[in-house]
Amino acid sequence: MVSKIISELEEQGTVREICENMKVSKNDIDDFVQEIYMILLEYKKDKIIELYEKKQLKFFIVGIVSRQYNSNTSPYYKKYKKYYTIIDGNYVNNENNEDVDDFE
């Protein structure tokens, strides 16, 4: 049931739309959307089903997106943002402030 719900979200573009509406960087959005799907797939199955049935899943996803993108302790931050920042359209390695041309 959960995989069907996740597939439906993907087909409708719900997670991507939420991310775009919350101004997730276009350079980050593909990886970020995948990270949100991973969180949903790893979450308690009964809770996902309950939220879906109560039509509250979108609000739940908005909360996840907000916390993941804005927190410096989130899995997304630790995998991606911690090391790279976009400055003037270029990725910069946060550890030594060097441009990273081949990151994309």
Side-chain angles (χ1 to χ4, degrees):
M1 176 80 171
V2 172
S3 59
K4 181 182 175 197
I5 293 170
I6 302 296
S7 293
E8 185 179 310
L9 290 172
E10 197 279 322
E11 288 171 11
Q12 295 172 352
T14 303
V15 174
R16 181 172 288 278
E17 181 182 341
I18 289 169
C19 292
E20 288 171 350
N21 289 340
M22 294 184 73
K23 307 295 186 215
V24 172
S25 165
K26 290 181 182 180
N27 293 315
D28 297 336
I29 201 159
D30 290 333
D31 291 327
F32 189 74
V33 167
Q34 292 304 313
E35 195 67 35
I36 300 303
Y37 281 125
M38 290 299 297
I39 290 168
L40 292 171
L41 288 167
E42 293 171 353
Y43 208 78
K44 297 177 219 162
K45 294 178 184 353
D46 7 337
K47 186 66 174 175
I48 296 292
I49 293 167
E50 176 186 343
L51 290 166
Y52 178 78
E53 289 173 347
K54 290 182 176 181
K55 302 197 182 310
Q56 297 174 342
L57 189 55
K58 274 189 174 182
F59 298 108
F60 181 71
I61 294 169
V62 167
I64 292 172
V65 168
S66 177
R67 286 187 299 277
Q68 290 298 309
Y69 199 67
N70 296 313
S71 171
N72 62 0
T73 59
S74 72
Y76 176 76
Y77 177 85
K78 290 176 183 175
K79 287 181 186 176
Y80 302 99
K81 283 178 88 174
K82 179 177 180 179
Y83 300 105
Y84 299 98
T85 302
I86 299 173
I87 299 174
D88 298 330
N90 296 314
Y91 281 98
V92 175
N93 185 316
N94 288 338
E95 292 181 342
N96 54 16
N97 290 334
E98 293 178 1
D99 282 350
V100 180
D101 296 328
D102 59 350
F103 184 73
E104 294 184 59

